[in-house]
Amino acid sequence: MKILSSAQIRELDAYTIAHEPISSIDLMERAATSFVDWFMAKFPQEDSPICIFCGPGNNGGDGLAIARMLSYAFYEVELYLCAISPKQSADFQTNLKNLPQFESIPITELSEGDPLPPLPPSGILIDALLGTGISRPLEGYWADFVQHLSQFAGTKIAVDLPSGLNADSSTNNKTFCADYTFSFEFPKLAFLLPENDSRVGEWAYASIGLHPEKIQELDTHNFYLQQADVQTWVKKRSRYAHKGLYGHALLIAGSQGMMGAALLSGRAILRSGTGLLTIHAPACGYPILQMGLPEAMVSSDRHQFNFSEMPELGKYSAVGIGCGLGNKDFSIRGLDEFLGAIGQKPLVIDADALNIIAQQKWQQRIPRGAILSPHPKEFSRLFGDAPDDFARLDLLRETAVKYGLYIIRKGAHTAIALPDGQIWFNSSGNPGMATGGSGDVLTGILTGLLAQGYDAAQTCKLGVYLHGLAGDIAATKLGHEALLASDIVDHIGVAFQFLKKS
């Protein structure tokens, strides 16, 4: 799914109106219907007052149509018409005239300088003040107004976009802070970045039937990764298949006190479908790996406690390196040797291998086409930081293009940056996955898929989605607080089955 800018959405609206064809007021009716369908499913028995705050533009027009529909559905609705500007849009005026004439909806009109309205102690407050119609930061009275609304003790919902929030750039001014945001047709880029979490809250979206041909035509670098994007990639196994057909992965991982990382990552490699796995680890890890993961072969490093040398690489179809590796001098020398010998073999680099590269300033030595899976701090150590999340996104994109890398920056909506400049935001996963070892599991899944012959882009997208899906399935059984990285591994198989059956 494409993530389009506010300007592109306006262009898409106009194209749909002209070429479907459909009138703008009927398209607004379609949008309001999609919101009300979502609202009634979310709050089916709400009997508290619903206060809807409408600005004079098309976002306010949406709010008026929503008020009418909810009133007809027997919800108790109150309207507040806010004169943020002296000009009312034509569709706002039409929906104002279309309000019920007999089942009256109480209306309060507010202008700049009026006392801030008292808020009820409970119920639902709907923000339809500005949406994407903001052209400059909110200031003065209306900035204080949205901050006042944000203090409402009940449930706060934004229509399309919280008022004052920029959809496509960082926001430094006051905004409405919603518990829920419902967006039309697509999620907004702002929804996917951490700096807006407290403003957007839980978000949802639904199609309003914007023109599919124009959607295909509009160009973007940003995409939202969903099940439909990856499920057809899962390879079907032949009845006469054997382990030699599904790759031989090499995992270089572990150090004294950190062999659990090697076990988690190794188990994930095998659960992802790889035919053969060899784990190269310090000698102290030999008995742990042989007992903890009997399906894997073990290559022992000469050093007792740390990675210090690389094994022969020729027979392996893909390599993963970094989980629990440590950053001792021995590991630095071992990674130095490894980077000099790996060539263009399919490669996943994570964790301590990334930290060593950052420490030694070896960024130019990372093989083009490699997959990196840093968390935000690891990324900033490697490639620097930026003042806000939108600037960090630009830096992520520029870095992937500059170095020819596939970079998976882990987070709530993990961002996958491709060498062609595309960024894909993941839709699977949950807060319970913010636990030690979860990244080691992702490294294992990625290495396992790469070893089986998936290309790097497919590996990143399928691997990240599968990792999040396994975590989601585990969380339905265990909840977020109790979720362990090993639970994610245990549900990789169920996640594969889900993808294949859907």
Side-chain angles (χ1 to χ4, degrees):
M1 174 180 286
K2 292 181 175 181
I3 300 171
L4 300 177
S5 69
S6 296
Q8 288 176 311
I9 292 292
R10 286 191 289 271
E11 181 183 351
L12 181 55
D13 284 345
Y15 187 92
T16 302
I17 290 166
H19 291 82
E20 184 170 331
I22 184 174
S23 68
S24 61
I25 191 66
D26 287 338
L27 186 60
M28 183 175 285
E29 193 79 358
R30 197 185 283 175
T33 300
S34 70
F35 177 94
V36 170
D37 288 345
W38 168 82
F39 182 93
M40 292 177 66
K42 192 79 175 176
F43 306 99
Q45 298 176 329
E46 181 60 43
D47 55 5
S48 300
I50 301 170
C51 301
I52 305 179
F53 288 79
C54 298
N58 281 350
N59 192 239
D62 292 330
L64 292 173
I66 288 165
R68 167 170 40 86
M69 293 177 190
L70 290 178
S71 176
Y72 285 150
F74 304 106
Y75 287 83
E76 183 183 343
V77 178
E78 298 179 18
L79 269 173
Y80 292 80
L81 305 185
C82 303
I84 298 174
S85 78
K87 184 178 179 181
Q88 296 176 342
S89 73
D91 289 341
F92 175 93
Q93 293 175 342
T94 299
N95 271 317
L96 188 59
K97 293 175 184 175
N98 288 342
L99 287 174
Q101 299 300 310
F102 301 105
E103 301 88 0
S104 178
I105 298 174
I107 297 176
T108 301
E109 296 187 8
L110 295 167
S111 299
E112 185 171 343
D114 287 344
L116 296 174
L119 301 175
S122 61
I124 294 177
L125 187 155
I126 297 177
D127 163 33
L129 290 169
L130 289 168
T132 59
I134 186 170
S135 58
R136 61 182 184 275
L138 282 175
E139 297 175 340
Y141 176 83
W142 295 113
D144 293 338
F145 190 89
V146 298
Q147 190 171 42
H148 172 65
L149 297 187
S150 296
Q151 295 170 1
F152 177 59
T155 301
K156 302 182 292 293
I157 303 173
V159 178
D160 203 30
L161 188 71
S163 289
L165 183 66
N166 295 316
D168 311 310
S169 60
S170 189
T171 303
N172 298 313
N173 51 278
K174 295 175 182 177
T175 71
F176 181 72
C177 294
D179 299 310
Y180 300 92
T181 299
F182 183 86
S183 179
F184 301 130
E185 198 69 40
F186 306 105
K188 308 290 192 288
L189 183 58
F191 297 177
L192 302 166
L193 300 178
E195 67 180 52
N196 294 318
D197 184 40
S198 63
R199 294 157 164 163
V200 173
E202 181 182 317
W203 55 269
Y205 67 94
S207 174
I208 60 171
L210 296 181
H211 206 288
E213 291 179 11
K214 187 63 175 179
I215 293 173
Q216 289 296 319
E217 178 186 317
L218 290 170
D219 190 31
T220 180
H221 292 299
N222 300 314
F223 300 85
Y224 189 52
L225 180 66
Q226 298 176 291
Q227 180 182 324
D229 296 309
V230 300
Q231 66 184 43
T232 59
W233 295 344
V234 178
K235 296 181 178 182
K236 185 178 180 180
R237 297 202 166 201
S238 164
R239 179 186 300 273
Y240 298 101
H242 57 83
K243 62 188 178 185
L245 295 178
Y246 298 105
H248 189 167
L250 171 65
L251 176 66
I252 302 175
S255 59
Q256 186 182 31
M258 295 290 289
M259 291 310 303
L263 280 171
L264 284 168
S265 192
R267 287 187 64 215
I269 288 174
L270 291 170
R271 289 290 189 194
S272 70
T274 302
L276 294 164
L277 167 63
T278 295
I279 303 177
H280 181 83
C284 69
Y286 183 82
I288 297 170
L289 294 170
Q290 289 282 260
M291 290 189 294
L293 195 55
E295 298 89 348
M297 295 169 279
V298 180
S299 163
S300 284
D301 198 282
R302 284 181 295 182
H303 196 280
Q304 183 71 10
F305 304 121
N306 297 102
F307 165 61
S308 67
E309 61 182 357
M310 56 169 238
E312 170 57 42
L313 299 174
K315 63 182 178 181
Y316 302 110
S317 49
V319 182
I321 186 168
C323 299
L325 212 61
N327 58 359
K328 303 292 186 184
D329 288 344
F330 298 101
S331 298
I332 294 172
R333 289 199 294 270
L335 185 60
D336 184 17
E337 181 186 0
F338 175 84
L339 291 174
I342 187 64
Q344 293 302 306
K345 188 176 289 290
L347 173 64
V348 180
I349 309 176
D350 186 33
D352 287 327
L354 296 175
N355 291 328
I356 292 171
I357 290 170
Q359 175 191 337
Q360 300 298 315
K361 295 181 170 53
W362 288 343
Q363 289 86 342
Q364 296 286 352
R365 299 184 62 194
I366 302 172
R368 295 183 74 84
I371 297 172
L372 279 58
S373 54
H375 58 58
K377 286 187 178 179
E378 288 169 342
F379 180 86
S380 65
R381 291 186 200 116
L382 274 165
F383 303 114
D385 202 2
D388 60 68
D389 287 336
F390 284 86
R392 291 185 187 101
L393 193 64
D394 290 338
L395 178 60
L396 174 64
R397 187 192 327 276
E398 292 161 5
T399 301
V401 172
K402 176 181 176 180
Y403 292 98
L405 299 173
Y406 297 82
I407 306 177
I408 299 169
R409 193 180 67 189
K410 295 177 284 198
H413 292 288
T414 291
I416 305 165
L418 308 183
D420 63 3
Q422 290 185 7
I423 292 183
W424 290 75
F425 294 90
N426 188 34
S427 63
S428 64
N430 63 82
M433 298 174 70
T435 185
S438 179
D440 301 322
V441 175
L442 176 60
T443 298
I445 293 173
L446 296 169
T447 305
L449 294 175
L450 208 55
Q452 292 173 71
Y454 290 89
D455 66 42
Q458 287 178 326
T459 292
C460 291
K461 295 176 194 175
L462 177 57
V464 167
Y465 188 86
L466 188 69
H467 178 251
L469 179 59
D472 288 340
I473 295 169
T476 61
K477 301 177 182 179
L478 302 168
H480 293 164
E481 292 78 9
L483 192 66
L484 301 177
S486 55
D487 298 321
I488 302 172
V489 179
D490 291 341
H491 290 84
I492 292 172
V494 184
F496 267 121
Q497 290 297 103
F498 183 87
L499 288 180
K500 289 192 285 188
K501 288 179 180 177
S502 297

